[in-house]
Amino acid sequence: MSNGIFKIPTPKNEPGNTYAPGTKERETLKKELKRQSEIVVDIPVIINGENIKTDTVKQVVMPHDHQHVLANFSQAGEKELRDAVEAAMAAKESWANMPWEHRASIFLKAADLISGPYRDVMNAATMLGQSKTAFQTEIDAAQELADFLRFGVDYANQIYQIQPESVKNIWNRLEYRPLDGFVLAISPFNFTAIGGNLPSAPAMMGNVVVWKPATTALLSNYYFMRILEEAGLPKGVINFVPSSGSLVSEVVLTDPRMSGFHFTGSTSTFQTIWKTVGENITNYKSYPRLVGETGGKDFVFAHETAQRDKVVAGLVRGAFEYQGQKCSAASRAYIPANIWEEVKGGLVEETAKLKVGDIRDFTNFMGAVIDKAAFDSITSYIDYAAASEEAEIIAGGTYDDSEGYFVQPTIIVTTNPNFKTMVEEIFGPVLTIYVYENNQLEETLTAVDTASMYALTGAIFAQDRQAIMHLERRLSGAAGNFYINDKPTGAVINQQPFGGSRGSGTNDKAGSVFNMIRWTSPRIIKENFAPTTEIAYPFMDAE
């Protein structure tokens, strides 16, 4: 037990480096990029702190140079997945009973390792393995990942301090226990920070975790796992199991002891998982907590009073940073006819300036999309638009996968507000624009709100305050993260907690107290300092 009530270090958002020419950080990052480009890492399955090699070995490659192998990894099979569950359950009691300040210290130390000595390692692995530019990577693998850990500890501490009222002779205490079994975390390729947060957030609250990282983000996720080990994470608390999603669903998701599921990925996958849990609900020892952030079809809506240059900048950055492979990326836009020609000219001009290529060339604005499957899916939408009489491609529209999975930033203009690329999630550098007549404002707002099944992020641009108020109110259900005169991307921990509703997930706001509290099972303890000896109550006395 602790002989003190300890104060958590006050978290602050991790400052970012610019990597501008001549800076020290640019020099050291380039050296690390070179070093990692010249080695092939062997990535094992990690169960109960043990490195395990399996008979199934696959490769991690650079998306922008897909013949270049970065790592060979062992893929977990049924035995390894079952062993991971057993290792987690074996570690459960000692981890849950570890004093909070020691549990917190592990994640605070990991944050300092990420923002300090391992910053270049994490950034280079993310750049090479996930084809992110230095700037996008710095935001993700250094700043946001450290923020998730530091603020996560602070949020947990805030939760522990939420206590009930006590009255005379009675002391009421609320204890925030971990969930009854283990948590399964399945993380995506596009953000190293999300890969780190999905297993870490439940673990902070005393849970044990089986973590399946995305194979296309495996290099950076593996380094993060090693950082957790260096920070002192006990064996078995988080078990690192690269595996196939279908096998994980079959073996781990249906285990009766699974009590929580933390997920970021596609809507269809999350719906399938939810269905599987429902079909197995009588087998679980508790009702599993399902927390998921899924897809988006994120909008930008410009009002007739919007400033043209601000709309152009918001669309280009919002749609094409990290090749549009963000859940929050601007994918559809609605521009009024009175400003369209100016906006169109700016978009065509600015998009033509964007360089696409190997992210080791720091002059490139974009890298490659993540893999062949993504490339084929994205380009099928471009081909569809090119062949349609309802659409015109005004920028980009070309692609090449001979060396890397490169798709040029593409802008489509459509005459149909329900056109395929206005409605379906593409997850690539494709922006579709619908030009609306100024007297069709209300009808167009209805289209924004109803055209897509998603409600993740959205942005409006306007100068008139009455218009801003009206748009904010009319689109209140269309986005969990709503931006006024800004692009719909770039949520910051502790500033804009991230998450959406409808088909975009459970809106539990990753990187917030709302998410952290999902990983607890509270117990109320009432202690009576002066228990009564009476049995009868006063109302029973005779008159």
Side-chain angles (χ1 to χ4, degrees), residues 222-259:
Y222 169 68
Y223 282 127
F224 175 69
M225 185 67 192
R226 291 305 191 200
I227 287 170
L228 288 177
E229 291 178 335
E230 184 171 334
L233 187 73
K235 296 178 179 180
V237 172
I238 296 177
N239 299 277
F240 181 84
V241 287
S243 187
S244 74
S246 58
L247 187 60
V248 170
S249 293
E250 178 185 337
V251 176
V252 184
L253 188 68
T254 58
D255 190 289
R257 295 164 293 181
M258 192 201 76
S259 57

Side-chain angles (χ1 to χ4, degrees), residues 85-404:
V85 171
E86 297 305 325
M89 294 304 297
K92 181 174 177 57
E93 183 176 358
S94 61
W95 179 242
N97 290 330
M98 179 180 285
W100 161 234
E101 67 271 17
H102 290 284
R103 214 163 65 229
S105 295
I106 293 168
F107 298 102
L108 293 175
K109 181 176 180 178
D112 283 359
L113 291 173
I114 289 162
S115 59
Y118 288 100
R119 195 182 202 110
D120 285 340
V121 172
M122 291 298 294
N123 281 347
T126 301
M127 290 176 71
L128 296 174
Q130 291 142 266
S131 202
K132 280 196 173 185
T133 63
F135 178 72
Q136 290 294 310
T137 295
E138 173 73 3
I139 295 169
D140 173 18
Q143 293 178 266
E144 188 171 62
L145 183 51
D147 284 354
F148 266 130
L149 298 173
R150 292 183 180 127
F151 282 100
V153 167
D154 188 61
Y155 294 139
N157 194 54
Q158 291 178 37
I159 290 169
Y160 291 151
Q161 293 182 56
I162 300 172
Q163 293 295 320
E165 187 71 21
S166 293
V167 296
K168 184 179 179 181
N169 297 333
I170 302 294
W171 186 14
N172 295 315
R173 306 191 297 274
L174 199 53
E175 176 188 44
Y176 294 89
R177 305 169 299 175
L179 303 182
D180 291 324
F182 69 91
V183 173
L184 170 61
I186 297 182
S187 58
F189 78 85
N190 58 337
F191 281 92
T192 299
I194 297 175
N197 181 59
L198 293 191
S200 296
M204 284 183 200
M205 303 308 294
N207 293 282
V208 289
V209 183
V210 176
W211 174 25
K212 189 204 92 65
T215 56
T216 41
L218 205 51
L219 186 60
S220 63
N221 289 188
Y222 169 68
Y223 282 127
F224 175 69
M225 185 67 192
R226 291 305 191 200
I227 287 170
L228 288 177
E229 291 178 335
E230 184 171 334
L233 187 73
K235 296 178 179 180
V237 172
I238 296 177
N239 299 277
F240 181 84
V241 287
S243 187
S244 74
S246 58
L247 187 60
V248 170
S249 293
E250 178 185 337
V251 176
V252 184
L253 188 68
T254 58
D255 190 289
R257 295 164 293 181
M258 192 201 76
S259 57
F261 178 65
H262 207 189
F263 175 79
T264 295
S266 74
T267 298
S268 60
T269 299
F270 193 51
Q271 289 175 343
T272 300
I273 285 166
W274 199 294
K275 181 180 179 182
T276 301
V277 170
E279 290 171 344
N280 288 274
I281 198 66
T282 58
N283 299 327
Y284 294 112
K285 295 183 177 180
S286 63
Y287 292 102
R289 306 279 179 89
L290 306 181
V291 177
E293 191 258 295
T294 60
K297 190 65 181 175
D298 309 299
F299 64 86
V300 172
F301 187 92
H303 185 258
E304 62 182 17
T305 63
Q307 294 177 311
R308 285 69 160 164
D309 55 346
K310 307 297 193 304
V311 173
V312 169
L315 285 172
V316 173
R317 281 190 169 184
F320 301 135
E321 287 180 329
Y322 192 43
Q323 299 81 265
Q325 295 176 129
K326 299 180 181 182
C327 303
S328 58
S331 183
R332 56 185 170 123
Y334 303 79
I335 311 296
N338 72 304
I339 69 171
W340 168 237
E341 289 304 320
E342 291 179 70
V343 170
K344 177 182 179 181
L347 286 173
V348 172
E349 179 183 354
E350 294 301 326
T351 303
K353 297 176 184 177
L354 304 181
K355 287 183 61 180
V356 180
D358 192 321
I359 46 75
R360 288 171 291 186
D361 177 353
F362 281 27
T363 66
N364 285 322
F365 185 85
M366 290 168 48
V369 299
I370 194 65
D371 59 14
K372 177 65 171 172
F375 178 88
D376 289 345
S377 175
I378 295 163
T379 57
S380 72
Y381 283 98
I382 295 173
D383 292 345
Y384 179 88
S388 174
E389 294 181 354
E390 293 184 311
E392 176 190 4
I393 296 175
I394 63 170
T398 59
Y399 45 84
D400 180 10
D401 67 346
S402 57
E403 181 177 351

Side-chain angles (χ1 to χ4, degrees), residues 414-433:
T414 181
T415 56
N416 178 5
N418 293 307
F419 188 66
K420 183 176 182 176
T421 61
M422 288 288 286
V423 176
E424 297 181 13
E425 184 180 39
I426 300 174
F427 221 65
V430 179
L431 170 67
T432 306
I433 296 172

